Amino acid sequence: MIPTSFDYVAPTSVDEALSVLAEAGDDAKVLAGGQSLLPILRMRLNAPEKVVDLGRIEALRGVRDGGDHIAIGAMTPYCDIVDDALVREHALLLAKAVETVADPQIRHRGTVGGALVHADPAGDVGAPVLALEATLVVVGPGGERTVAASEFFQDLFETSVGDGELLTEIRIPKHTGWGASYEKFVRVSHQWSIVAVAATVRLDGGSIAEARIGLTNMGSTPLRATAVEQALVGKGASDLAEACSAAAEGTNPPSDLNGDADYRRHLAGVLARRAVQKAMEG
Amino acid sequence: MTAVDDRPALEVGKDRRRKEDARLITGRTRWTDNMVLPGMLHLAMVRSPFAHANIQNIDTAAAQGAPGVVGVFTGKDLADTQGVNINAWPITADQKTPTHLPVCIERVACAGEIVAVVVARSAAQARDAAELVDVDYEELPAVLDMKEAMKDEVLAHPDLGTNKSAFWRLDSAEQGSGGDVEEAIAKARESGIVIEREYRQQRLVPAFMEPRSTVVDPTGDQMVVWSATQVPHILRFAIAATMGIQESKIRVVAPDVGGGFGGKLQTTPEEFATIAVARKLGKPCKYTETRSESMVSAHHGRDQWQKLTLSAEKDGTVTGLKVELLADLGAYVAIVGGGVPVLGAWMFNAIYKFPAYQFNCQTVLTNKTWVDAYRGAGRPEATYGIERLMDELAAEVGVDPIAIREKNWITKDEFPFTTVAGMTYDSGNYEAATEKALELFGYDELRAEQKRRREAGDPVQLGLGVSTFTEMCGLAPSRVLGSLSYGAGGWESASIRMLATGTVEVVSGATPHGQGHETAWSQIVADRLGIPFENVEVLHGDTQTSPKGLDTYGSRSLVVGGEAIVRAADKVIEKARPIAAHMLEASVDDIEFNAGQFTVRGTDKGVGITDIALATFAAHDLPDGVEPSIDADATFDPVNFSFPHGTHLCAMEVDTETGATTMRKYVCVDDIGTIINPLIVEGQMHGGLVQGIAQALWEGAEYDEQGTLVSGSFVDYTLPTAADTISYVSEHTTSPSTTNTLGTKGVGEAGTIASTPAVVNAIVDAVRHLGINDIQMPCTPERVWKAIQSAGGTQDAAPVADAQPHFDEGTPNQDPAAGTTDGAAQ
């Protein structure tokens, strides 16, 4: 379909983007890959007067070593994450999750930052970022601030990034040597997650020393299953079922054509066990 | 060197790459939406969001004043000129057929109906202005469920007084083709087996790749209509018949068309509206739908409840089959919408020797998108029902599903065989196809693995599904169609033009939309006339170039249209023969034709058919009384259908912890008669299989309680991609059809028809030991998991089919949210 007409701006620096946004106020939408925004515009679910494309801001793209963390530019496309050596070494869970996103075309266009700010609870980036206890860098007219991943997701399609602000970087503490797995449950491969579980573990002599578990599409935001994380400490590979069965506790998953809430709760438990099992394998 | 040694390798049977692919794949071709005409205007449709509503008022003022807008037309504005959508197949004389206007005037009967047309200088301007059209609707109660519709409490069309459109029956006792089915069932209740099931054929969206598009040029004496359609010839007829335009003034062109699957055999409201507006304005107009519009407004497929009663003796010998169909037509009776479920009448009995048979079909109107042919059209629905039932019978008797089929199928020595439905199958060999399929599949090894997994209580269970299907193709003998009150014949036309420079134009009345006609037709003509494959050009899809034709659907193009080409080619040879005799100074009786050469018997004197074409063009020295042309036309009307068949075997893994299903292996051995191009056949099989598998596992058009199509985009309508499929093994056995000289049977729909029950049979087989005997399509993981949960997951709930009736009036034995256990049905 054809979107309503809009002005298109493609700034080349973050400062320029911020001033464009400040000027446009409520009437602007940020284009950060466009894999969700363009369908929304084309179906006329939203009709901004100005679209600000961040695609030409080189500074927002790429992964660098930040010492105790790795820093991922918000405009880094999924496909660059999947094979990035730093990501695979220090945040394997993110690479595992991102490689399941949609299809190759979308992974070449869509960006990690775009997905985080769009905040679709069925998206695959939120849960690993939450589980890996990332810090998100947000800049606005008043300067730069950092937000913990646990504070970032506010509600369905809502984050702590305010009007006139931009997410610029995702800082992930190094989880060097942690095993990881992203168990995504879909009916067809290019689908949004029906449920997915992100698990990353640090082993100590064959049993779990630390575990981090994130849940996709089990509520209006990505969730962290802290009770499961705690229950897993000290557990071996054959002893996961009970700890993981609590994965859905306190969640409020949606009901739709792919499954009702009860089914999703059941899936979360099964997928959590499988994710942890695979994460323990490497 | 003799003439025989010069003979080129035969084209028929060769893996020719398709001539048309380079342009189709790159898109550098004449898709309708690529057409640009001078001064062309663009249309956008204003569509009803409501399933059922009166149109109180339409305020077009704001839209009229929007930038670039040339006109805004409501149904009232077009009332006298817009024509009407036709139903070409009233299945009974008293069928209720609501008037189907292209642009609604007083009332909309389903969401997505057009209420106004906006015309502007650009497509974007038209779309913007369409948002400004203010329609005042008075919502009416909508009937959405076909069983509810049968109660006639809420009416889809209040003026009709009922939702029941037509009731159609075939009874073997009445027509003398078999016994009395009620007697057979009554006897089985006393001393045999009765299997009763109710199956749901969910509604599907054809989801062709190229959205529909129409360009109309009304300038000049002739009106030209380009449309992304399967049926340019039928469209031309419909325009002439309903819009008051002389047929000879109408030219319809289907340029390259990007898929149809039956979804483009309709004459559409959008086509009529575009024509009406273009004529009103006297300017070329284009309308191209969006995918969202296509999902809701192009016709849907399937959508039946199937109540089935099969009777058998205790040893599994079938004695009777009673079919009671309820078929949702949607809001209107589409061009062949009523007839599609009726095609099942000759297919439910399938390859089995039922002594008694009855087929009942009730069509019903609802306030949903209209329903018509979708790949297979009536035959997949029937095949699903019978092939699921045969597996149920096998389970009841306690034998392998293959054994129950062997016991009941028509044996290879029994052809030609007249079935209980009255159809005569000319050829087939179910034994050969099945034997080959079993071997390729490794059936016994997989059965052994299934046993091991069951015994070990493996969380991933394995199931094997069988589908030994047949279908009727080559639609259709005109006399048969006439006896069914179908509005047209079933013949096909072809012309062959021998050009002076040695190339050949083949004009076909069949209209490809992705099948590869240009390649296959070239292969047939190359062999028949001894012309190089590259020198054959196939023309089609333009009523000016190919004035006669009945287009492409129902696996008919090769079986009917291919035979027309053979006959035209043979006429060319016969017309050239006296000229050859004249040129070779021999008697016509001594002239032989072989591989493009006319020779004088017993000599080495010869002349090529292309030399004769040139000599005819010059016409300087032709025998007396011979016209200067060797071009020829032929129209072929088949005397019978063709009956492809095959054995499809599917292995599915079911993850009992999540309900997820994974295809492990798929083998099919199809007998489609003589194969013209194995590569094209392979493509048809693989594509067809995916479409049939998709019905079993993934696709379903779902509405909410307001009558809104919830699965209205590819986010929710889960169409599979290559990433969701495995590599299929597709092989063949061949028993040539006897109803056409090529021996072909048709392959366009085989994969789709056969695969759906094979997949569901495999899933049910994987969990049958848990007490499950059905899972409703699409077999989503949630449905599979819930079936396992409600069965209690116990291993000792062996299936028990009750010989007593267990249909509760008005209630399905399927819980739409889950699968069914035997216990639940009793």
Side-chain angles (χ1 to χ4, degrees):
Chain A
M1 205 158 134
I2 304 166
T4 53
S5 82
F6 54 80
D7 289 334
Y8 170 85
V9 206
T12 53
S13 71
V14 172
D15 284 347
E16 192 189 342
L18 288 174
S19 66
V20 170
L21 286 174
E23 202 179 298
D26 286 352
D27 300 327
K29 278 302 258 183
V30 172
L31 175 70
Q35 298 310 291
S36 293
L37 181 63
L38 286 190
I40 287 168
L41 298 183
R42 289 164 68 92
M43 294 174 94
R44 297 194 173 215
L45 300 173
N46 200 326
E49 283 179 13
K50 187 168 278 185
V51 169
V52 184
D53 183 356
L54 306 184
R56 293 192 196 161
I57 306 177
E58 280 305 317
L60 290 182
R61 195 182 286 251
V63 183
R64 62 182 175 81
D65 193 330
D68 62 345
H69 66 272
I70 58 167
I72 301 171
M75 285 296 291
T76 309
Y78 296 120
C79 63
D80 288 0
I81 300 284
V82 175
D83 294 321
D84 186 90
L86 284 173
V87 175
R88 294 202 83 89
E89 189 182 353
H90 304 297
L92 182 60
L93 179 61
L94 184 65
K96 296 253 179 177
V98 164
E99 70 190 9
T100 71
V101 171
D103 56 41
Q105 289 91 330
I106 287 175
R107 291 198 292 273
H108 277 77
R109 280 278 175 194
T111 63
V112 183
L116 287 171
V117 180
H118 181 55
D120 188 320
D124 297 307
V125 184
V129 162
L130 194 60
L132 290 167
E133 301 179 321
T135 300
L136 300 139
V137 182
V138 177
V139 297
E144 185 179 293
R145 64 191 175 96
T146 56
V147 185
S150 56
E151 304 293 321
F152 184 78
F153 301 102
Q154 310 262 302
D155 204 344
L156 197 67
F157 304 119
E158 231 182 280
T159 69
S160 61
V161 178
D163 286 343
E165 288 189 317
L166 290 174
L167 171 69
T168 55
E169 196 168 82
I170 301 108
R171 292 179 186 158
I172 301 179
K174 285 184 177 173
H175 286 67
T176 320
W178 288 51
S181 174
Y182 189 69
E183 281 291 297
K184 175 170 175 171
F185 196 83
V186 284
R187 293 176 53 215
V188 291
S189 66
H190 56 278
Q191 206 181 4
W192 293 93
S193 281
I194 295 172
V195 175
V197 176
T200 189
V201 295
R202 185 171 64 78
L203 297 182
D204 186 5
S207 60
I208 294 172
E210 281 184 278
R212 301 282 179 270
I213 311 288
L215 306 176
T216 302
N217 210 17
M218 286 298 288
S220 57
T221 65
L223 298 172
R224 181 135 169 225
T226 41
V228 178
E229 293 175 0
Q230 285 156 17
L232 281 170
V233 174
K235 292 284 191 297
S238 59
D239 194 19
L240 304 172
E242 200 191 324
C244 292
S245 66
E249 256 175 37
T251 62
N252 187 19
S255 290
D256 58 29
L257 293 177
N258 293 305
D260 63 19
D262 281 344
Y263 178 58
R264 282 189 159 89
R265 286 192 192 96
H266 165 77
L267 283 179
V270 176
L271 298 175
R273 191 193 76 223
R274 291 180 182 180
V276 173
Q277 234 158 22
K278 283 190 193 165
M280 291 180 79
E281 288 160 17
Chain B
M1 239 173 33
T2 66
V4 173
D5 288 333
D6 285 339
R7 192 156 141 165
L10 282 180
E11 281 293 339
V12 168
K14 202 186 260 188
D15 267 338
R16 276 282 185 190
R17 295 285 163 108
R18 305 199 321 176
K19 286 182 168 184
E20 46 273 76
D21 277 352
R23 66 171 204 275
L24 294 181
I25 290 168
T26 60
R28 291 179 182 278
T29 189
R30 282 162 250 159
W31 305 116
T32 303
D33 190 51
N34 286 352
M35 301 278 173
V36 178
L37 300 177
M40 186 174 77
L41 302 173
H42 298 263
L43 272 55
M45 304 300 177
V46 179
R47 295 179 183 275
S48 169
F50 299 110
H52 198 190
N54 282 326
I55 302 166
Q56 305 281 67
N57 184 51
I58 302 180
D59 182 354
T60 63
Q64 299 269 13
V69 170
V70 176
V72 182
F73 301 96
T74 65
K76 274 182 194 152
D77 300 327
L78 300 172
D80 299 333
T81 54
Q82 66 168 335
V84 66
N85 287 286
I86 56 171
N87 167 237
W89 188 357
I91 56 173
T92 62
D94 61 353
Q95 172 180 287
K96 296 277 191 299
T97 312
T99 305
H100 189 181
L101 297 177
V103 182
C104 298
I105 297 174
E106 290 175 352
R107 189 172 57 89
V108 295
C110 65
E113 282 215 86
I114 303 168
V115 295
V117 185
V118 177
V119 191
R121 300 208 178 279
S122 77
Q125 288 169 330
R127 191 67 253 160
D128 284 343
E131 308 279 314
L132 303 174
V133 174
D134 188 11
V135 187
D136 186 7
Y137 294 99
E138 177 202 21
E139 266 194 271
L140 297 170
V143 61
L144 302 164
D145 177 89
M146 67 180 119
K147 289 192 174 180
E148 280 300 311
M150 282 297 289
K151 296 178 189 165
D152 279 340
E153 287 166 3
V154 176
L155 297 178
H157 295 276
D159 50 315
L160 290 181
T162 178
N163 295 318
K164 300 181 184 86
S165 177
F167 177 76
W168 194 95
R169 167 177 287 176
L170 182 157
D171 185 279
S172 65
E174 274 171 31
Q175 74 171 22
S177 56
D180 184 326
V181 81
E182 299 296 354
E183 273 177 28
I185 293 168
K187 190 172 170 223
R189 286 202 199 286
E190 283 170 19
S191 58
I193 297 167
V194 180
I195 307 278
E196 294 173 293
R197 294 288 185 272
E198 188 165 32
Y199 293 131
R200 180 82 170 100
Q201 280 283 324
Q202 80 271 34
R203 184 179 269 255
L204 299 177
V205 176
F208 31 76
M209 191 179 285
E210 177 206 18
R212 297 171 307 163
S213 177
T214 301
V215 174
V216 178
D217 185 357
T219 58
D221 283 347
Q222 186 189 48
M223 183 184 72
V224 190
V225 179
W226 289 266
S227 196
T229 177
Q230 292 175 229
V231 291
H233 297 92
I234 292 169
L235 176 58
R236 184 192 195 207
F237 175 88
I239 295 167
T242 72
M243 300 189 87
I245 308 171
Q246 214 175 303
E247 189 176 350
S248 55
K249 297 281 189 198
I250 306 164
R251 175 183 174 195
V252 177
V253 186
D256 280 328
V257 176
F261 310 123
K264 289 178 183 162
L265 64 60
Q266 204 61 251
T267 57
T268 68
E270 291 81 2
E271 286 166 335
F272 287 111
T274 309
I275 293 166
V277 166
R279 293 181 76 213
K280 215 169 187 76
L281 296 172
K283 297 248 188 197
C285 286
K286 178 194 279 184
Y287 170 71
T288 301
E289 69 184 358
T290 65
R291 179 61 67 183
S292 305
E293 287 180 296
S294 190
M295 300 287 284
V296 71
S297 65
H299 76 245
H300 293 170
R302 313 280 192 262
D303 211 356
Q304 297 179 355
W305 278 107
Q306 310 175 321
K307 200 164 158 181
L308 308 170
T309 308
L310 181 147
S311 61
E313 291 170 14
K314 284 244 185 278
D315 70 350
T317 305
V318 296
T319 59
L321 178 65
K322 183 177 174 184
V323 177
E324 294 162 275
L325 290 191
L326 185 57
D328 189 351
L329 298 170
Y332 298 101
V333 194
I335 192 161
V336 291
V340 164
V342 167
L343 285 174
W346 299 278
M347 286 287 105
F348 267 96
N349 55 299
I351 64 169
Y352 310 111
K353 291 180 284 188
F354 284 97
Y357 174 62
Q358 190 186 74
F359 172 91
N360 304 278
C361 175
Q362 174 71 55
T363 58
V364 64
L365 295 154
T366 61
N367 295 115
K368 287 161 133 174
T369 301
W370 48 337
V371 174
D372 206 334
Y374 171 54
R375 201 168 188 177
R379 294 157 291 163
E381 296 91 320
T383 301
Y384 181 80
I386 185 62
E387 290 304 306
R388 286 283 297 111
L389 274 190
M390 293 307 279
D391 265 35
E392 295 303 302
L393 177 61
E396 170 62 16
V397 177
V399 297
D400 193 272
I402 296 285
I404 207 78
R405 287 168 169 83
E406 281 169 347
K407 184 185 262 309
N408 288 295
W409 69 32
I410 302 157
T411 63
K412 61 181 186 290
D413 308 321
E414 292 175 309
F415 290 95
F417 184 90
T418 299
T419 71
V420 73
M423 204 49 92
T424 300
Y425 297 174
D426 64 324
S427 68
N429 187 334
Y430 310 136
E431 294 92 332
T434 302
E435 191 186 333
K436 192 167 176 181
L438 290 172
E439 192 189 318
L440 287 165
F441 192 63
Y443 191 83
D444 295 338
E445 292 81 7
L446 285 165
R447 278 280 179 227
E449 182 185 333
Q450 177 185 41
K451 187 161 176 278
R452 280 200 304 276
R453 287 193 188 215
R454 278 195 188 176
E455 286 167 0
D458 194 323
V460 179
Q461 289 290 312
L462 180 68
L464 308 186
V466 181
S467 170
T468 48
F469 87 110
T470 189
E471 56 166 327
M472 52 200 272
C473 287
L475 273 49
S478 297
R479 281 185 188 178
V480 175
L481 294 178
S483 72
L484 295 170
S485 309
Y486 183 78
W491 46 263
E492 196 46 83
S493 162
S495 301
I496 294 184
R497 303 179 194 150
M498 303 297 291
L499 304 185
T501 52
T503 54
V504 178
E505 285 177 338
V506 177
V507 181
S508 175
T511 303
H513 39 284
Q515 290 87 348
H517 289 24
E518 291 170 31
T519 304
W521 286 195
S522 297
Q523 288 177 273
I524 293 168
V525 171
D527 276 359
R528 208 78 185 182
L529 296 181
I531 307 273
F533 170 81
E534 295 76 13
N535 289 359
V536 184
E537 198 69 35
V538 178
L539 308 173
H540 54 75
D542 181 341
T543 62
Q544 188 159 292
T545 317
S546 58
K548 283 181 67 188
L550 285 169
D551 306 318
T552 290
Y553 41 84
S555 301
R556 70 186 302 274
S557 287
L558 177 60
V559 179
V560 189
E563 182 66 13
I565 287 168
V566 167
R567 293 184 179 212
D570 288 351
K571 283 187 185 174
V572 167
I573 295 166
E574 289 319 306
K575 285 179 81 173
R577 194 182 295 274
I579 302 170
H582 180 75
M583 290 169 76
L584 295 169
E585 296 174 329
S587 159
V588 171
D589 298 338
D590 291 333
I591 298 294
E592 290 177 332
F593 181 72
N594 193 2
Q597 286 285 318
F598 289 94
T599 52
V600 181
R601 186 176 296 125
T603 75
D604 59 359
K605 282 169 62 179
V607 59
I609 194 164
T610 54
D611 300 326
I612 296 172
L614 180 60
T616 314
F617 172 73
H620 294 162
D621 181 21
L622 296 180
D624 291 342
V626 169
E627 66 168 339
S629 166
I630 57 169
D631 296 351
D633 303 333
T635 303
F636 174 65
D637 195 350
V639 294
N640 192 4
F641 298 88
S642 61
F643 301 94
H645 70 82
T647 297
H648 288 229
L649 301 172
C650 174
M652 295 293 294
E653 290 181 348
V654 175
D655 179 345
T656 58
E657 285 189 312
T658 63
T661 59
T662 310
M663 189 170 288
R664 166 87 171 268
K665 195 165 193 180
Y666 197 102
V667 167
C668 56
V669 175
D670 286 82
D671 183 342
I672 56 166
T674 307
I675 291 172
I676 306 299
N677 183 323
L679 203 56
I680 291 179
V681 165
E682 191 80 355
Q684 284 281 14
M685 285 310 303
H686 283 240
L689 289 174
V690 176
Q691 248 165 335
I693 293 164
Q695 179 176 11
L697 297 180
W698 296 304
E699 294 182 30
E702 300 288 345
Y703 283 80
D704 68 12
E705 286 165 7
Q706 279 70 49
T708 303
L709 180 65
V710 181
S711 50
S713 81
F714 288 145
V715 172
D716 295 305
Y717 192 83
T718 40
L719 203 66
T721 66
D724 302 300
T725 62
I726 64 167
S727 198
Y728 312 117
V729 178
S730 168
E731 295 274 347
H732 300 277
T733 53
T734 305
S735 47
S737 167
T738 62
T739 60
N740 64 76
T741 57
L742 288 166
T744 61
K745 296 183 177 178
V747 70
E749 298 160 296
T752 309
I753 293 169
S755 59
T756 312
V759 175
V760 178
N761 278 340
I763 293 171
V764 172
D765 186 55
V767 293
R768 192 182 287 281
H769 64 294
L770 305 176
I772 295 164
N773 71 12
D774 192 30
I775 293 167
Q776 185 174 323
M777 294 190 294
C779 300
T780 62
E782 183 186 34
R783 281 185 174 145
V784 175
W785 183 75
K786 287 196 168 171
I788 294 168
Q789 296 311 300
S790 59
T794 55
Q795 302 239 352
D796 43 55
V800 185
D802 198 334
Q804 296 308 308
H806 62 256
F807 284 135
D808 290 335
E809 208 51 51
T811 55
N813 74 344
Q814 292 187 319
D815 173 357
T820 313
T821 64
D822 283 288
Q826 292 177 22

